[in-house]
Amino acid sequence: MQESFILFYCLLFIVAFLYASVGHGGASGYLALMAIFAISPAVMKPTALLLNLFVSSTSFIQFYRGGHFKWKTFWPFALASIPFSFVGGMMAIESSIYKKILGLLLLIPVIRFFFFKNTDPKDFKPSNIPLSLAIGGIIGLLSGMIGIGGGIILSPILLLLKWADQKQTAAISAAFIFVNSVAGLGGQLIKGFEFNSHMLAYVGVAFVGGICGAYFGALKFPQTVLKNVLACVLALAAYKLLFTHA
C-alpha cells in the first residue's frame, strides 16, 4: 500500500510537470491517474479542479512573463465559459458514463500533441468574438461536468483556427483553465463534495511539479519531446477508461 502511494505521488509530479510545460493545468491527467488508482469520481472532480488552480496559475505566470498572453483572444472564451462551467459543476454523472466521456476527452490532447504543429506567424488570423463565445460556452459546460479546466479542448481549436501560436495558446489556455476551474469548483460547492484526506499532499506535489514544468516549458525546453511523451501517457489512460472495466 505504501509503495502505491509513493508511485502515485511520483506520477502526479510527472503529470503536473508535463502539463505545465505545455501550458495546461493538468486536470485530465490527474483524472486519468486517479481513475487508474481507483479513486471515486465523487473525489476525482473537485480534486482535479483544485489541483488545476495551483498548476494553471503557475503556468500562466511563466508564459505571461514571456510575453505570450493575448487578452483580446482570451476574454470572449472566458466570458461564456465561466457561467456554463458553474452549471456543469453542479451536474452529477453516473460513474461508468463519466469515465467514458473522460476517455474520449483525453483523445483530444493526444490528437493535438501529435498532429498540431506550431503556427507560422504569417498565417495568423484575428479571432471571431461570436464564435469564441459559442465555443467558450460549450467547453465550459463540458469542463464543469467532467472536472477539467477545458484547456485540452481549447488549445487545438486555437491552433486549428490559427488565432494563436503554440506559446500564445499555452498562455491563453492556462488562464482559461484557471477561471473555469474556479467556476467548476463553485458549482461543486453548491452541490456538495468530498475531499480526499491526502489533498494537501496532492496539492503540494502538483504545485512543485507545475512550477518546474512551467519554468522549463516557457523558457528552456523545446516542447516536441515533452508533448509526445504526454500524448503517449494520455493515449494509454484513454484506452484504459474506454476499453477496460477497472
Side-chain angles (χ1 to χ4, degrees), residues 33-239:
L33 187 59
M34 285 186 280
I36 290 170
F37 280 79
I39 297 173
S40 72
V43 174
M44 288 166 63
K45 287 175 63 174
T47 299
L49 288 171
L50 183 61
L51 291 172
N52 250 2
L53 294 181
F54 287 89
V55 179
S56 64
S57 60
T58 302
S59 184
F60 171 74
I61 289 169
Q62 294 291 354
F63 282 97
Y64 181 84
R65 288 173 58 195
H68 303 298
F69 183 63
K70 293 175 66 178
W71 169 258
K72 289 183 178 179
T73 304
F74 165 76
W75 75 260
F77 290 112
L79 181 66
S81 71
I82 290 171
F84 280 97
S85 183
F86 180 84
V87 172
M90 293 188 291
M91 296 180 177
I93 305 175
E94 198 274 325
S95 178
S96 62
I97 297 174
Y98 175 88
K99 290 182 178 180
K100 300 305 180 188
I101 295 174
L102 175 59
L104 289 172
L105 290 179
L106 289 180
L107 294 177
I108 295 175
V110 173
I111 294 169
R112 179 238 164 147
F113 292 145
F114 278 140
F115 300 108
F116 285 83
K117 306 303 179 184
N118 207 357
T119 307
D120 191 320
K122 70 176 183 295
D123 294 331
F124 286 166
K125 299 176 182 178
S127 58
N128 180 293
I129 292 178
L131 181 57
S132 298
L133 290 169
I135 293 170
I138 294 169
I139 296 176
L141 185 63
L142 279 172
S143 299
M145 289 171 57
I146 302 302
I148 60 175
I152 61 168
I153 308 174
L154 179 61
S155 292
I157 291 174
L158 287 172
L159 295 172
L160 179 64
L161 295 174
K162 298 183 179 179
W163 289 354
D165 66 20
Q166 194 78 51
K167 291 196 174 182
Q168 289 169 346
T169 294
I172 293 166
S173 294
F176 184 79
I177 289 163
F178 182 85
V179 298
N180 264 350
S181 297
V182 171
L185 271 174
Q188 288 278 306
L189 282 170
I190 296 296
K191 187 188 72 172
F193 62 86
E194 59 176 305
F195 276 122
N196 189 283
S197 59
H198 298 283
M199 177 55 59
L200 288 179
Y202 291 179
V203 170
V205 171
F207 186 59
V208 173
I211 289 175
C212 296
Y215 175 76
F216 285 106
L219 303 175
K220 299 292 182 182
F221 285 171
Q223 297 184 353
T224 302
V225 174
L226 292 175
K227 289 190 296 181
N228 288 340
V229 170
L230 182 53
C232 290
V233 172
L234 292 176
L236 289 172
Y239 175 83

